[in-house]
Amino acid sequence: MRDSWFSASHGIMLALLFGFAIAHSGLAALRGWGEAKIGARLYRVFFALVSIPFATVLIIYFFNHHYDGLILWQVQGIPGIKAVVWSLSAISFFFLYPATFNLLEIAAIQKPEIHLYETGIIRITRHPQMVGQVIWCIAHTLWIGSTFTLLTSLGLIAHHVFAVWHGDRRWHQRYGDEFLKVKERTSVIPFRAILEGRQTLQWQEFLCPAYLGVTAFIALLWWGHPWLIAVTARVPW
């Protein structure tokens, strides 16, 4: 326990999160204008060249400072808690990466498009990345228990909650009434539309190579997690 919990790293992480939110959401908002100027593929490359390095800086800084500040709770010694944290983390990735379903668009090999999905995980929640981020933050904040991690989690969740409004706004601008119909049949809160009878879950839609790829990524991350922490620790941030 420390006398002053708000170390410099807390302020730096808040600044990094705010900068990433402006860059990521700002470029998303300018997508239509940017694609008209330089084309969809080149704009996707530009978007990636800004977002990926920024996200990498955030990840490295988080790894190197996640125990900064006060330790608010310590649950790592509780039997079964590690399995709970890893299970929640694994589940979060199935929500976080629905965009991996079309890797050719991600790599700008095919022309990137804004898709109005209503299948698979979208039946559970219209904004799976927000849900995945919330689950990830709950798992890691529970495990680490520091004020730095709590602050980081709150910042990430705030950005993704904003992205819910921002994403719906952009879909509405692009698809109009068609999006409003999809919005009526889906929900932001997981499973709400299904429980209210506005949507049905089709399990066969989850039997696709993309989910196998996410599963392989989770296994790789589980295996390489200690190595990743060791590597980022060498960066003097």
Side-chain angles (χ1 to χ4, degrees):
M1 301 290 283
R2 303 176 185 177
D3 293 333
S4 178
W5 69 268
F6 195 84
S7 62
S9 60
H10 290 66
I12 293 172
M13 179 53 93
L14 282 177
L16 288 172
L17 287 169
F18 188 65
F20 178 77
I22 292 175
H24 193 270
S25 295
L27 288 175
L30 293 172
R31 179 174 179 171
W33 176 85
E35 288 182 348
K37 296 293 183 181
I38 62 176
R41 288 186 177 89
L42 190 56
Y43 193 78
R44 172 57 62 85
V45 172
F46 174 70
F47 185 90
L49 288 175
V50 173
S51 297
I52 293 176
F54 216 138
T56 301
V57 170
L58 280 170
I59 292 169
I60 293 173
Y61 198 80
F62 175 76
F63 275 143
N64 288 348
H65 294 275
H66 56 286
Y67 280 111
D68 283 5
L70 292 179
I71 301 301
L72 301 174
W73 55 79
Q74 178 56 259
V75 300
Q76 294 182 11
I78 298 176
I81 195 67
K82 188 173 183 179
V84 170
V85 169
W86 267 107
S87 297
L88 288 174
S89 298
I91 291 170
S92 75
F93 282 104
F94 284 102
F95 286 91
L96 276 168
Y97 294 107
T100 57
F101 288 179
N102 196 332
L103 294 177
L104 294 179
E105 286 190 22
I106 296 297
I109 297 172
Q110 289 183 355
K111 180 181 178 181
E113 299 283 354
I114 298 177
H115 297 282
L116 191 63
Y117 289 114
E118 195 184 345
T119 57
I121 205 163
I122 303 301
R123 295 181 185 273
I124 297 175
T125 171
R126 191 169 65 254
H127 290 279
Q129 288 182 314
M130 181 275 292
V131 173
Q133 188 64 76
V134 170
I135 296 173
W136 186 95
C137 287
I138 290 173
H140 284 73
T141 304
L142 174 65
W143 177 255
I144 297 169
S146 69
T147 52
F148 180 88
T149 300
L150 178 60
L151 197 70
T152 301
S153 293
L154 292 175
L156 287 169
I157 291 172
H159 177 215
H160 281 74
V161 169
F162 167 78
V164 169
W165 170 83
H166 194 227
D168 280 358
R169 179 175 175 269
R170 288 185 289 116
W171 273 331
H172 189 208
Q173 288 176 338
R174 185 177 183 89
Y175 291 102
D177 290 342
E178 186 179 355
F179 165 69
L180 294 180
K181 293 176 182 178
V182 171
K183 185 178 181 181
E184 184 63 29
R185 294 191 297 264
T186 57
S187 62
V188 175
I189 299 174
F191 296 103
R192 180 176 179 177
I194 296 172
L195 294 174
E196 292 178 351
R198 296 184 282 121
Q199 186 59 260
T200 56
L201 195 58
Q202 304 292 331
W203 291 107
Q204 63 271 22
E205 293 175 351
F206 293 88
L207 301 176
C208 61
Y211 285 109
L212 181 62
V214 175
T215 302
F217 174 77
I218 293 170
L220 180 64
L221 189 63
W222 178 82
W223 173 80
H225 200 263
W227 172 83
L228 186 61
I229 293 176
V231 170
T232 57
R234 298 176 183 175
V235 181
W237 292 347

